[in-house]
């Protein structure tokens, strides 16, 4: 190939770009040193002064501008992160432009090379060696913008803008190799935090894996399940065999020199490629502890409780004698996740540093979570509000630290508050919380579902203008008119029961007096649509490949090689070093390593990631069911039977739909069909629950409800305590999970079948069904009304009157006072 | 609650109208008076009246006549079929149980038979009409005939929801009379001035109460619409853990000495053009080992790799090993696999295989290229030399278990047979046999 023809003149002349003669260079570097010293000793004003001098000497140097921005930010008390972001983005853009310009200069002929490569690929000789995107990266230090990118990401992270931080960091991470160790380490650590905050398990695992390789953390530990050690062990015999090879002699006769040297450097820096940790700010053990804690967080995220338990123990061992509050919190979270609430409380108590506002806000919040799970909503409310007041005292603290922004978790706590208010049946307060928290949670479908639930609850409780008070909704109101033989009963609870359309403003987000959107059914609908949209988006992106970064591709490629090697080994005798190489880096995560499983470690990590992804998929499915059911309900309430119809259809088409939602789907679908004058189809939908001519099966069983309540599995050691707590919780749990019992659901089906039959004119059948319905749900005013209707249609007005008089939900109103009030 | 059919004004209007029906005013007069108010909602008024008319006990005979007249007059400007109450009127006219004068009155209203004297009968008062009514003068047509005449041209009913159109009147009679008494008997009517007794009822009170409370909507079958359950709170509560501190970083690269590694860059540039002296080579390797990042700044690009391989294979090996985690490594491999076969490139690949994990596909493609190069070479001496090299190379790969022989068995075997005259090829062949 003609690659050799490239012009030798294109050698980069890095010094030439600087364009400084030696004198200026020494002055600037001296100033730079001064500035750095001032910065380190936190004398930011002086630092800015020096930097300004520097700036006058090297005008518009991106790095100088960068450091000025950072120093000024600290000098001004971290008050304006948005402004800093703006400056840093400009710096970054400028650096990239400069790098591109110099890159073009250097790599003027790179296109030719590319063409040749792709041409030969076409001929079929080279098959699967993809030429990576040939961005002709010149790793010029001067134009390196990785520090700026890191700082941009740091600020986004502190502002809880994880998606933005992630997009910046992922870009840098794809090209992390050339970046110096200190920056690279900071990038990786931040990336891990961001990924965990985004709940991205598989990318987190990738980064963790990379870090263990690249920063040689494994070397610090002594355990046999240490990756780097095992890799070295498996590699050294190979290298020894090499020297016995006849080819070696042959080559050496032809060309020799520095061969031993080459082999040695190759071995130490090839497979595990430890970065020499020049960063003095993080010691080896600290880093190891950090990574261990990340590992625990990853395991907790993926709900791998068993492994998390093991790893958190390991972390506690490493943390001995250090500040271990993070480890303790994680351990408490672990116990919380396992349902050992008392143990979790104990651990939190042990860790809490009560004097620190940030710590106590987290402490109180976590206690709130625990009490919520115990069903003690009022206690949890107390802790959540304590946590919030901790936060507000934190905000008043001076001087402001950058960390303060992230330590202000008030929005996260506010979300918890919202859940707690919802559980206590206070939809207005809950909605207020969710609306506040939406600044952080706006991308979570669940948040929008909760907001919709607030609307529905508010409507249900009659807290929304135009909606009925709960007592009015379930009651049949009858006006008694006249006396004696001309006494008439006028049944008021007609079709006007729950029509909100007229009373609601067109503008869904109409603001109330308090500046908050008013809860309404149209708002509920909007929220549900938002959630569905988000859910569909995430499904789409999940179906695409997960991490498109080069590094992961590369790893996959290499892992293929490794596994094939392993399989080769099996065919050959006298080989006992089975430890797989790089790709198994996460074997540490898989605590089962001690069993000599060889190549299965990679599968191990894959299984637990895919197990987690399964959980997420199932959860999303569940959310989707809830969303569609709510949507169908809301559309019915808003008298949009067509839209209700499509929502209910979509619900029923969901794979693996729970039986409760199937039931709701059929009921809503049938009602929508009925409203669309298709009673026959409606009847068919309800009839799937018919067994025989006129008997209805239970649409779902008690076990479906239990499953629904998804009580966390309680560890055996505290099983009794947990059960007791669950029992005790009911009196305080005001609005514990409330839904129809299976028998009531059956009664509902009877009542609705009766209504459909009545509409179709089959009054006999209607009479049969409604009788059944009243025996199952005697308190249902709807069933009573249908029964009365059927009686009237059958001409049995006497029976209708007596039914009215016997129904417990009827309120008789004297007419004269009505007359005076009417207008 | 609910939507009232009539506003207060309308209620008064109707009550007054009905009260005045017993007076000696002509029906026409009453109608004119009634329709003076332009704000009157005709449908609501008529619908209320029709409901009252259905309840046979509620209105007196004169009141009924006036009510029927209103039902008719409200829509008289249009064709009879457009009157929403036309079928109600027709049905009333055919009601065998009704008084004959009432049926005749309706027929008069409808202008049945005697269209000439159409409006004359309205000039008298309602009671006069009843008094003067001669049953023999009126023949009652069949219902079908009436329906044909008045309803046939009716428009098809506009869309209406079945649930609502099946509504039944939501007023129930609940006579409060002693058991065993006939509620229809007039004995329970309260005489003016008389003492009230059990079961008696004031008609006016019932009437005004009804008028005040009537609603447009009747009673319909009710649908139970269960509220969906609240979504369970499972992993949703946010648990908080202490943060890792991420400080803003000072850019240490500011005004940094950019001469870092300048010597190495110069040497690499030189190394592209020809072999370096051993001490220079040593210097490059040492410098690269000292600074693991230097390799990214030494000026090498994939395009220049072949020159480095040919001139200084050992440096090439070292650089590639250090670049193994670089995002560009795949590109380097692509260049390497596609360059002309030579001792040096083979040496580089061989050393790489022992030091790092190479992509399987890369090794396989490289071997295929080796074999085809041997076959294509013209110069016999060079061919022998290359074949020997390839054989030694393959043996090394096999012995070091870098490649799986099975993958390339046929290819390599054919190669051995083709060059069986060469000692190394025969040796490779024997090695293959032992592995079989």
């Amino acid at each position: 190939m003609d690659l050799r023809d490239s012009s030798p003149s294109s050698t980069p002349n890095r010094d030439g770009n600087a364009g400084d003669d030696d004198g200026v260079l020494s002055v600037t570097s001296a100033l730079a040193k001064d500035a750095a010293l001032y910065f380190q000793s936190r004398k930011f004003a002086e630092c800015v002064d020096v930097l300004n001098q520097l700036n006058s000497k090297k005008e518009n140097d991106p790095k100088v501008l960068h450091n000025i921005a950072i120093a000024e930010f600290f000098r001004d008390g971290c008050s304006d992160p948005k402004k800093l972001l703006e400056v840093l983005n400009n710096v970054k853009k400028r650096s990239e432009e400069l790098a591109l310009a110099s890159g073009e200069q250097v790599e003027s002929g790179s296109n030719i090379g590319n063409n040749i490569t792709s041409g030969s690929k076409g001929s079929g000789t080279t098959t699967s060696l993809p030429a990576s995107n040939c961005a002709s990266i010149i790793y010029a230090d001067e134009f390196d913008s990785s520090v700026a990118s890191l700082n941009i990401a740091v600020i986004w992270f502190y502002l809880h803008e994880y998606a933005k931080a992630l997009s910046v960091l992922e870009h840098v991470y794809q090209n992390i190799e050339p970046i110096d160790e200190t920056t690279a380490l900071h990038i990786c650590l931040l990336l891990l935090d961001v990924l965990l905050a985004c709940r991205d398990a598989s990318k987190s695992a990738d980064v963790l894996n990379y870090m263990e390789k690249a920063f040689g953390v494994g070397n610090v530990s002594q355990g046999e399940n240490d990756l780097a050690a095992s890799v070295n062990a498996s590699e050294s015999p190979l290298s020894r065999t090499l020297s016995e090879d006849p080819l070696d002699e042959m080559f050496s006769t032809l060309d020799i020199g520095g061969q031993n040297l080459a082999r040695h450097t190759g071995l130490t820096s090839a497979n595990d490629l430890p970065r020499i940790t020049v960063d003095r700010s993080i010691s080896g053990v600290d880093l190891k502890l950090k990574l261990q804690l990340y590992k625990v967080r990853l395991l907790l995220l993926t709900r791998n409780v068993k492994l998390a338990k093991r790893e958190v123990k390991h972390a506690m061992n490493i943390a001995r004698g250090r500040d271990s509050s993070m480890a303790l919190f994680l351990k408490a979270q672990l116990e919380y996740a396992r349902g050992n609430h008392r143990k979790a409380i104990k651990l939190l108590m042990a860790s809490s540093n009560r004097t620190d506002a940030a710590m106590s806000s987290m402490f109180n919040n976590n206690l709130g979570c625990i009490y919520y799970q115990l069903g003690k909503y009022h206690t949890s409310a107390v802790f959540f509000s304590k946590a919030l007041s901790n936060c507000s005292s934190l905000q008043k603290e001076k001087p402001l630290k950058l960390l303060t922004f992230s330590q202000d978790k008030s929005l996260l706590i506010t979300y918890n508050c919202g859940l707690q208010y919802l559980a206590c049946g206070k939809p207005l307060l809950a909605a207020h919380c969710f609306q506040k928290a939406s600044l952080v949670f706006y991308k979570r479908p669940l948040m929008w579902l909760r907001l919709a639930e607030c609307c529905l609850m508010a409507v249900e409780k009659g807290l929304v203008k135009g909606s009925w008070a709960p007592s009015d909704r379930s009651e049949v109101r009858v006006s008694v008119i006249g006396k004696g033989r001309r006494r008439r009963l006028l049944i008021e609870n007609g079709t006007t029961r729950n029509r909100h359309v007229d009373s609601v403003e067109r503008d869904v987000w109409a603001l109330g007096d308090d500046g908050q959107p008013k809860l309404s059914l149209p708002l509920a609908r909007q929220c549900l649509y938002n959630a569905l949209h988000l859910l569909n988006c995430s499904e789409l992106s999940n179906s695409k490949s997960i991490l498109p970064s080069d590094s992961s591709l590369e790893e996959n490629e290499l892992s293929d090689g490794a596994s094939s090697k392993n399989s080769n080994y099996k065919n050959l005798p006298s080989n006992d070093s089975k430890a797989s190489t790089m790709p198994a880096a996460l074997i540490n995560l898989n605590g089962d390593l001690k069993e000599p499983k060889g190549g299965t470690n990679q599968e191990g990590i894959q299984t637990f990631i895919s197990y987690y992804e399964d959980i997420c998929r199932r959860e999303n499915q569940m959310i989707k069911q809830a969303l569609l059911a709510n949507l169908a309900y809301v559309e019915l309430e808003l008298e949009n039977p067509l839209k209700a119809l499509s929502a209910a259809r979509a619900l029923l088409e969901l794979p693996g739909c729970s039986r409760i939602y199937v039931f709701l789907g059929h009921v809503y679908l049938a009602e929508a069909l009925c409203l669309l004058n298709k009673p026959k189809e409606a009847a068919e939908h309800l009839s799937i629950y018919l067994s025989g001519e006129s008997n209805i099966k239970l649409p779902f069983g008690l076990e479906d409800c239990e499953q629904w309540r998804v009580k966390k599995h309680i560890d055996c050691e505290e099983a009794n305590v947990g059960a007791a707590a669950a029992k005790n919780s009911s009196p305080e749990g005001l609005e514990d999970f409330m839904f129809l019992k299976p028998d009531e659901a059956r009664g509902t089906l009877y009542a609705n079948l009766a209504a459909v039959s009545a509409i179709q004119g089959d009054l006999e059948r209607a009479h049969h069904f409604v009788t059944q319905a009243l025996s199952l749900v005697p308190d249902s005013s709807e069933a009573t009304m249908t029964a009365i209707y059927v009686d009237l249609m059958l001409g049995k007005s006497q029976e209708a009157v007596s039914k009215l008089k016997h129904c417990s939900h009827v309120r008789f109103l004297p007419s004269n006072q009505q007359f005076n009030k009417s207008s | 609650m609910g939507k009232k059919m009539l506003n207060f004004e309308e209620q008064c209007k109707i009550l007054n109208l009905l009260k005045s029906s017993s007076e000696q005013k002509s029906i026409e007069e009453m109608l004119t008076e009634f329709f003076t108010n332009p704000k009157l909602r005709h449908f609501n008024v008529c619908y209320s009246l029709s409901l009252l008319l259905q309840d046979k006990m509620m209105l007196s005979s004169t009141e009924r006549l006036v009510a029927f007249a209103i039902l008719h007059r409200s829509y008289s400007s249009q064709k009879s079929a457009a009157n929403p109450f036309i079928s109600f009127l027709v049905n009333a006219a055919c009601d065998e149980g009704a008084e004959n004068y009432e049926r005749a009155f309706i027929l008069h209203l409808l202008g049945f038979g005697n269209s000439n004297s159409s409006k004359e009968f309205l000039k008298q008062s309602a009671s006069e009409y009843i008094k003067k009514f001669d049953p023999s003068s009126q023949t009652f047509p069949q219902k079908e005939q009436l329906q044909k005449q008045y309803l046939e041209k009716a428009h098809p009913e506009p869309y209406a929801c079945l649930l609502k159109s099946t509504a039944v009147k939501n007023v129930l009679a609940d006579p409060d009379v002693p058991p065993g008494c006939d509620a229809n008997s007039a004995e329970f009517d309260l005489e003016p001035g008389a003492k009230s007794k059990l079961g008696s009822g004031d008609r006016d009170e019932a009437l005004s109460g009804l008028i005040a409370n009537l609603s447009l909507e009747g009673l319909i079958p009710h649908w139970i619409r269960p509220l969906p359950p609240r979504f369970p709170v499972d992993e949703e509560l946010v648990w908080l853990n202490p943060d890792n501190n991420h400080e803003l970083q000072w850019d240490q690269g500011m005004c940094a000495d950019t001469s870092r590694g300048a010597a190495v860059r110069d040497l690499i540039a030189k190394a592209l053009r020809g072999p370096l002296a051993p001490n220079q080579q040593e210097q490059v390797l040492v410098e690269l080992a000292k600074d693991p990042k230097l390799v990214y700044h030494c000026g090498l690009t994939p395009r220049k790799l072949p020159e480095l391989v040919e001139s200084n294979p050992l440096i090439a090996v070292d650089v590639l090993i250090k670049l193994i985690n670089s995002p560009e490594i795949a590109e380097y491999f692509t260049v390497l696999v596609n360059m002309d076969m030579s001792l040096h490139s083979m040496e580089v690949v061989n050393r790489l295989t022992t030091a790092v994990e190479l992509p399987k596909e890369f090794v396989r493609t490289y071997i295929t290229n080796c074999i085809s190069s041997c076959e294509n070479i013209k110069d016999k001496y060079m061919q022998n030399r290359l074949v020997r090299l390839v054989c030694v190379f393959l043996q090394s790969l096999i012995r070091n278990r870098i490649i799986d022989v099975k993958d390339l068995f046929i290819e390599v075997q054919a190669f051995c047979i083709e060059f069986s005259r060469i000692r190394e090829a025969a040796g490779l062949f024997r090695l293959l046999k032992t592995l079989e």
Side-chain angles (χ1 to χ4, degrees), chain B residues 257-286:
Chain B
D257 181 9
T258 47
S259 67
R260 177 172 82 143
V264 169
R265 275 198 302 281
D266 290 345
L267 284 174
I268 291 279
K270 215 179 271 175
L272 297 175
R273 277 165 287 185
L276 294 180
N279 64 325
Q280 288 176 320
Q281 195 172 326
E282 184 82 27
Q283 192 191 344
V284 171
L285 297 177
V286 168

Side-chain angles (χ1 to χ4, degrees), chain A residues 597-669:
Chain A
K597 279 185 184 165
T600 56
N601 294 317
Q602 178 67 11
E603 292 159 33
I605 179 83
Q606 277 310 315
T607 13
F608 97 65
I609 295 276
S610 66
Y611 169 75
Y612 168 66
E613 278 162 359
D614 260 11
I615 293 178
C616 293
R617 243 191 307 279
R618 244 176 301 143
E619 274 178 1
N620 281 345
Q621 278 297 325
M622 187 79 174
I623 295 174
K624 200 164 190 180
Q625 294 172 28
L627 288 174
L628 288 171
N630 277 287
L631 190 59
Y633 178 84
V634 168
E635 295 289 9
L636 283 174
E637 291 276 305
L638 290 171
E639 297 190 62
N640 293 321
L642 261 178
K643 286 181 177 170
L645 186 74
S646 69
R649 281 231 164 93
L651 172 61
L652 289 174
E653 278 163 13
L654 286 183
C657 204
S658 90
R659 287 175 79 195
I660 287 180
Y661 282 121
V662 170
F663 160 74
L664 285 176
H666 281 299
V667 170
Y668 296 152
L669 186 58

